[in-house]
């Protein structure tokens, strides 16, 4: 067989194959071309060559092109609970709890929207209210897709919690307590939290500060901790370098109007 022949010197049958690879017709064209060639071969060698090519391309022609997995995948629908949460883009967000009985309750930024009973199926068990109690949807963070809920159980107990939507269960699952306040006769236990992007990495950090305050206002058992999103929506203790960006004096806890 001649090799590297100019197109004009090639046998007619081989020239058709040469033209195919030069001009790249659509895949069905090569199948039709080889079928026509095999019906009228010019030599035994060309006949064998055409049969081999025909076999290979016939299989390719009959095999449907692979479908893109993303194309077949249905678009993910927004969680049904989103309608109860206001979307917010967090820069620095102070989360604190108050008792509903306090004078400043009317100006509280985390009043939220009461979730109706039909929404409770989308809450995991430890987020569902007991009889006579309520759960309020406050905010959904745009930059991390976390949910902030307010749990109102008793007059002396108020709590904000952080939750994440679990697609597999179709429910909001609790990640951790954000803020709470609970008072006894002569003492109150308080925790505040701040969501912030300390290093402009588009990953949120969580600064948690808590203490115990007695009737005289004296503070004890105080703690200050900096956590970061571990990539799954949960928070773990961050490294010292990142934690140093959260200056304790800049995170002042909410002062109660009254301890009564």
């Amino acid at each position: 067989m001649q090799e590297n022949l100019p197109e004009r010197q090639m046998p007619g049958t081989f020239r058709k194959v040469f033209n195919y690879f030069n001009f790249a017709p659509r895949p069905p064209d090569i199948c039709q071309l080889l079928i026509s060639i095999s019906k009228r071969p010019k030599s035994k060698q060309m006949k064998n060559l055409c049969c081999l090519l025909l076999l290979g391309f016939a299989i390719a022609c009959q095999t449907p092109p692979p479908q893109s997995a993303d194309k077949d995948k249905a678009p993910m629908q927004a969680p049904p609970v989103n309608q109860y949460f206001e979307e917010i883009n967090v820069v620095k967000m102070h989360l604190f709890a108050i008792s509903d009985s306090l004078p400043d309750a009317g100006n509280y930024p985390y009043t939220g929207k009461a979730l109706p009973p039909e929404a409770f199926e989308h809450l995991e068990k430890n987020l569902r209210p007991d009889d006579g109690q309520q759960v309020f949807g406050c905010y959904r963070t745009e930059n991390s897709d976390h949910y902030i809920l307010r749990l109102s159980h008793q007059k002396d107990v108020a709590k904000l919690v952080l939750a994440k939507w679990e697609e597999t269960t179709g429910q909001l699952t609790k990640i951790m307590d954000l803020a709470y306040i609970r008072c006894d006769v002569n003492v109150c236990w308080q925790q505040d939290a701040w969501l912030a992007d300390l290093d402009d990495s588009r990953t949120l950090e969580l600064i948690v500060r808590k203490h115990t305050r007695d009737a005289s206002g004296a503070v004890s058992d105080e703690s200050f901790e900096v956590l970061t999103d571990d990539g799954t929506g949960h928070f773990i203790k961050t490294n010292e370098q990142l934690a140093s960006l959260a200056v304790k004096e800049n995170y002042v806890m909410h002062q109660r109007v009254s301890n009564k």
Side-chain angles (χ1 to χ4, degrees), residues 22-233:
N22 267 359
F23 300 104
R26 295 185 301 274
D29 295 342
I30 187 61
C31 300
Q32 296 172 3
L33 172 63
L34 291 173
I35 291 172
S36 66
I37 291 173
S38 65
K39 291 181 179 178
R40 45 186 177 85
K42 301 301 183 183
S43 67
K44 185 177 179 179
Q45 288 182 331
M46 287 304 300
K47 181 176 181 179
N48 292 338
L49 175 61
C50 289
C51 287
L52 289 174
L53 290 173
L54 178 61
L55 178 62
F57 281 102
I59 295 173
C61 291
Q62 294 176 6
T63 304
Q67 296 293 325
S68 169
D70 293 336
K71 184 177 179 180
D72 293 339
K73 189 183 295 184
M76 186 178 294
Q77 295 185 349
V81 295
N82 281 10
Q83 60 183 304
Y84 307 111
F85 294 82
E86 181 182 342
E87 188 176 86
I88 187 171
N89 189 5
V90 174
V91 177
K92 183 179 179 181
M93 190 176 192
H94 182 190
L95 299 130
F96 60 93
I98 65 170
S99 172
D100 293 339
S101 62
L102 294 181
D104 59 347
N107 299 321
Y108 185 50
Y110 301 102
T111 300
K113 182 185 296 186
L115 271 63
E118 58 266 25
F120 294 165
E121 64 177 312
H122 297 299
L123 303 177
E124 70 172 358
K125 188 174 181 180
N126 63 350
L127 288 177
R128 296 178 186 177
D130 296 328
D131 293 341
Q133 300 173 353
Q134 288 183 294
V135 176
F136 300 84
C138 299
Y139 297 101
R140 180 175 68 86
T141 61
E142 179 185 359
N143 37 344
S144 67
D145 211 25
H146 285 102
Y147 293 79
I148 299 169
L149 301 91
R150 179 169 68 92
L151 308 183
S152 181
H153 294 301
Q154 308 172 44
K155 286 186 177 180
D156 62 337
V157 176
K159 183 186 293 186
L160 296 179
V161 301
L162 190 69
K164 189 80 174 173
W165 178 257
E166 288 292 343
E167 192 66 35
T168 54
T169 62
Q171 292 182 328
L172 285 176
T173 58
K174 181 180 175 180
I175 294 176
M176 62 181 295
D177 291 334
L178 289 172
Y180 60 79
I181 188 162
R182 181 169 59 87
C183 293
D184 204 342
V185 178
N186 295 314
V187 63
C188 283
W189 298 268
Q190 182 177 343
Q191 175 176 302
D192 286 15
W194 291 260
L195 279 170
D197 184 359
L198 294 176
D199 57 353
D200 294 325
S201 64
R202 297 189 178 182
T203 297
L204 290 180
E205 279 71 53
L206 185 62
I207 299 92
V208 181
R209 187 172 185 175
K210 58 184 175 181
H211 65 215
T212 302
R213 186 185 295 270
D214 63 22
S216 67
V219 172
S220 61
D221 299 327
E222 187 174 16
S223 66
F224 185 85
E225 190 173 27
V226 182
L227 311 173
T228 191
D229 192 329
D230 65 358
T232 68

